[in-house]
């Protein structure tokens, strides 16, 4: 079983294009594992896919991309579908981080952090994670320090995904320090 391929397919279905699989996510992004399995099995390549295979991807993903609860599954973050996935509001830690490419810095300074193709801005609780996120786009990524608690106190909403990842709607440039 190619678990990396399966994980990518799960991301595609649970974050980006559920309708291509005949799936409808609920307001928090859940579908039954059964529905996901049935949808994937329609493609001959995946006809012997099992619940255990899906569970394996969920359990071994170091980024905790997915979550299974009461026989339902969802992506924990990264959604781009038009229907906004509701996340739980929480008070963030003092500082969060965001890793990005050098070419975006001027625009981020002007406009702040925007969700771009996704529903939310993604922030990391740890420096290492943020750097890794930035390295997807630049071999010398820029680390941004976000004064999250200050922003929260001033009315900016934050949503906790898990210990590593936080979400926000928009982070104004005044809460961002560029670490150069
Ligand atoms: C940038 C992956 C110009 C932003 C990752 C980022 C993460 C701006 C890009 C998760 C901007 C959006 C999310 C502005 C933001 N002007 N550029 N005003 N505001 N940007 O992929 O945070 O592997 O949508 O800095 O590892 O990079 O898929 O967001 O570079 O955890 O599970 O616009 O997705 O996880 O890119 O990544 P993305 P991201 P997975």
């Amino acid at each position: 079983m190619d678990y990396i391929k399966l994980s990518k397919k799960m991301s595609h279905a649970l974050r980006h294009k559920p309708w291509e699989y005949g799936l409808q996510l609920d307001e928090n992004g859940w579908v039954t594992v059964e529905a996901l399995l049935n949808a994937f099995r329609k493609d001959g390549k995946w006809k012997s896919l099992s619940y255990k295979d899906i569970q394996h991807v969920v359990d071994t993903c170091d980024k905790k991309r997915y979550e299974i609860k009461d026989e339902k599954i969802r992506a924990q973050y990264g959604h781009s579908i038009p229907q906004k996935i509701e996340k739980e509001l929480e008070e963030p830690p003092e500082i969060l981080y965001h890793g990005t490419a050098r070419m975006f810095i001027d625009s981020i300074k002007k406009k702040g952090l925007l969700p771009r193709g996704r529903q939310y801005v993604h922030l990391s609780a740890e420096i290492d994670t943020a750097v890794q996120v930035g390295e997807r786009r630049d071999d010398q990524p820029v680390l941004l320090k976000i004064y999250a608690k200050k922003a929260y106190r001033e009315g900016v909403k934050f949503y906790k995904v898990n210990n590593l990842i936080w979400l926000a709607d928009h982070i104004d440039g005044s809460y961002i320090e560029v670490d150069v």
Side-chain angles (χ1 to χ4, degrees):
M1 171 63 57
D2 185 340
Y3 288 114
I4 293 178
K5 215 171 190 173
L6 176 56
S7 177
K8 289 192 171 161
K9 200 172 166 72
M10 286 161 61
S11 262
H12 192 239
L14 297 172
R15 289 173 169 179
H16 306 302
K17 301 211 165 152
W19 53 87
E20 285 191 6
Y21 304 84
L23 297 171
Q24 168 103 50
L25 310 186
D26 77 8
E27 65 273 22
N28 302 113
W30 298 102
V31 286
T32 62
V33 179
E34 195 62 30
L36 186 75
L37 272 174
N38 287 338
F40 284 6
R41 283 175 183 150
K42 281 186 189 141
D43 176 347
K45 277 188 292 201
W46 298 96
K47 69 174 186 300
S48 57
L49 191 68
S50 69
Y51 199 112
K52 266 193 180 161
D53 293 324
I54 302 279
Q55 186 81 56
H56 179 82
V57 171
V58 175
D59 293 344
T60 55
C61 175
D62 51 354
K63 292 192 75 180
K64 300 189 200 159
R65 290 186 176 91
Y66 318 100
E67 178 181 13
I68 288 182
K69 204 172 161 190
D70 301 332
E71 316 243 311
K72 288 183 179 172
I73 184 165
R74 67 173 172 182
Q76 296 219 51
Y77 61 90
H79 299 88
S80 70
I81 53 170
Q83 164 212 345
K84 188 130 184 199
I85 300 297
E86 291 172 25
K87 306 301 286 184
E88 268 181 45
L89 287 168
E90 267 199 56
E91 180 171 349
E94 202 69 47
I95 305 289
L96 288 167
Y97 301 92
H98 180 91
T100 189
R102 285 168 290 179
M103 64 187 285
F104 296 152
I105 292 303
D106 285 346
S107 166
I108 291 173
K109 278 183 180 163
K110 273 194 220 119
K111 297 181 192 157
L113 279 173
L114 299 168
R116 307 297 296 275
R118 303 194 200 251
Q119 295 188 351
Y120 298 94
V121 172
H122 287 60
L123 303 168
S124 306
E126 289 168 13
I127 293 177
D128 290 358
T129 321
V131 171
Q132 282 163 25
V133 173
E135 280 172 346
R136 290 156 51 246
R137 299 186 194 289
D138 189 341
D139 56 7
Q140 285 176 263
V142 182
L143 181 69
L144 306 181
K145 197 170 167 184
I146 315 298
Y147 288 91
K149 187 87 90 185
K150 181 171 190 282
Y152 173 82
R153 282 200 207 103
E154 294 175 4
V156 178
K157 291 177 188 155
F158 288 84
Y159 313 86
K160 186 177 182 178
V161 172
N162 57 40
N163 292 339
L164 295 174
I165 298 171
W166 286 75
L167 305 175
D169 301 308
H170 168 237
I171 302 288
D172 189 83
S174 60
Y175 302 116
I176 301 173
E177 190 177 291
V178 181
D179 190 10
V180 279

